[in-house]
Amino acid sequence: MSAATLRIEERIARLTLNRPHRHNALVPELLEAIREQLARVRDSDAAVLILDAEGRSFSSGGDVAGFHETPRSQRRAYAEKVVGTLNATLLDLLDLPVPTVVAVHGLVTGGSLGLVLACDIAVAGDRASFAPWYTVVGFSPDGGWTALMPERIGRARALDIQLTNRRLDADEAHRLGLVQYRAEDTGATARAVAETIRDAKAGSVGRTLALTRPDRATVAAGLEAEYRHFLEQIESDEADRGMAAFLKK
């Protein structure tokens, strides 16, 4: 079974993260599967994409155990693979020629927030929550926390959440504009939004995306900066101690 599955029906594509036993942690296998499925969407007749996930969590972000268990001499290379592929995945989402709707339930932590930020419209379930964890684990922000989030909710708010490691529940995420819809049934709401977009005038939709999406060059530069800082921090003693303490809990 693929780590990310794709189904296209009535010109609506549904891409599903499918590693529920690991809370859809962002390991290379999952990220590469997402990229493969996005390429299929690009080549299809789909007019809109829904991104969702199986299991109790949307995604727990980077696999801290995976980083910690990697020998320190190889940790930078592992981080290059994970964060580099995550950045490419986010740019793939931003480059997709059709609108994207993400349906979020459960936990969204660390770099997995990037999958939400890179989508055009976000729907959050009642039990959805969003948290960075970087200053606790000892990582540097990735996944667009600095490259995408400030534009979505404001720089001061984004900085506060990251420095204090504050968890946002669905209500606050909606109030701040991190997500656009609150829903008891995220799948049904995402489907209704997708159907509205599918039935709109394609040319108008495409031009709206081109005019409104974040500037790609600016986002790419921001993600590249996150990548460089992450690689420097992951080799530090602080990160080593932080991962060990986090996993011990």
Side-chain angles (χ1 to χ4, degrees), residues 67 74-86 227 230-231 234:
F67 278 104
Q74 301 171 31
R75 200 170 286 160
R76 183 183 180 93
Y78 181 72
E80 288 175 347
K81 179 70 171 174
V82 173
V83 182
T85 310
L86 173 59
Y227 175 76
F230 194 98
L231 296 185
I234 198 65

Side-chain angles (χ1 to χ4, degrees), residues 154-194:
R155 187 166 301 279
R157 289 192 184 103
L159 185 60
D160 168 56
I161 292 163
Q162 292 175 73
L163 291 180
T164 63
N165 191 46
R166 187 153 60 84
R167 183 184 71 87
L168 304 180
D169 61 18
D171 284 332
E172 186 171 12
H174 183 248
R175 179 174 60 80
L176 293 179
L178 182 62
V179 302
Q180 289 68 57
Y181 295 88
R182 279 286 317 281
E184 184 176 341
D185 187 335
T186 57
T189 300
R191 177 78 188 189
V193 172

Side-chain angles (χ1 to χ4, degrees), residues 198-217:
R198 177 200 60 195
D199 296 339
K201 299 294 186 289
S204 295
V205 168
R207 292 182 190 280
T208 302
L209 288 181
L211 291 166
T212 310
R213 274 179 171 166
D215 178 70
R216 189 192 191 282

Side-chain angles (χ1 to χ4, degrees), residues 5-16 36-50 96 98 191 198:
T5 62
L6 179 68
R7 186 174 64 196
I8 301 175
E9 296 178 347
E10 299 177 334
R11 299 178 59 234
I12 295 177
R14 180 184 173 195
L15 198 168
T16 302
E36 290 172 6
Q37 302 295 24
L38 288 174
R40 289 181 59 198
V41 174
R42 194 177 298 112
D43 293 336
S44 75
D45 69 344
V48 60
L49 168 71
I50 296 172
L96 207 65
V98 298
R191 177 78 188 189
R198 177 200 60 195

Side-chain angles (χ1 to χ4, degrees), residues 13-155:
R14 180 184 173 195
L15 198 168
T16 302
L17 312 185
N18 193 36
R19 296 185 82 247
H21 58 293
R22 295 296 296 274
H23 294 275
N24 298 307
L26 299 181
V27 295
E29 175 191 356
L30 175 58
L31 292 168
E32 288 163 0
I34 294 171
R35 296 198 70 199
E36 290 172 6
Q37 302 295 24
L38 288 174
R40 289 181 59 198
V41 174
R42 194 177 298 112
D43 293 336
S44 75
D45 69 344
V48 60
L49 168 71
I50 296 172
L51 176 65
D52 61 11
E54 294 285 358
R56 291 188 297 139
S57 306
F58 179 79
S59 175
S60 59
D63 187 352
V64 177
F67 278 104
H68 191 251
E69 290 165 4
T70 300
R72 194 161 177 177
S73 62
Q74 301 171 31
R75 200 170 286 160
R76 183 183 180 93
Y78 181 72
E80 288 175 347
K81 179 70 171 174
V82 173
V83 182
T85 310
L86 173 59
N87 285 355
T89 304
L90 302 185
L91 291 174
D92 284 349
L93 280 166
L94 288 170
D95 288 340
L96 207 65
V98 298
T100 50
V101 181
V102 60
V104 181
H105 70 281
L107 296 174
V108 181
T109 58
S112 62
L113 182 68
L115 298 175
V116 178
L117 294 169
C119 286
D120 301 308
I121 297 172
V123 180
D126 293 340
R127 296 178 180 273
S129 65
F130 308 82
W133 287 106
Y134 295 107
T135 59
V136 173
V137 179
F139 286 1
S140 184
D142 66 339
W145 278 88
T146 66
L148 286 165
M149 192 177 189
E151 182 176 5
R152 182 73 64 90
I153 68 168
R155 187 166 301 279

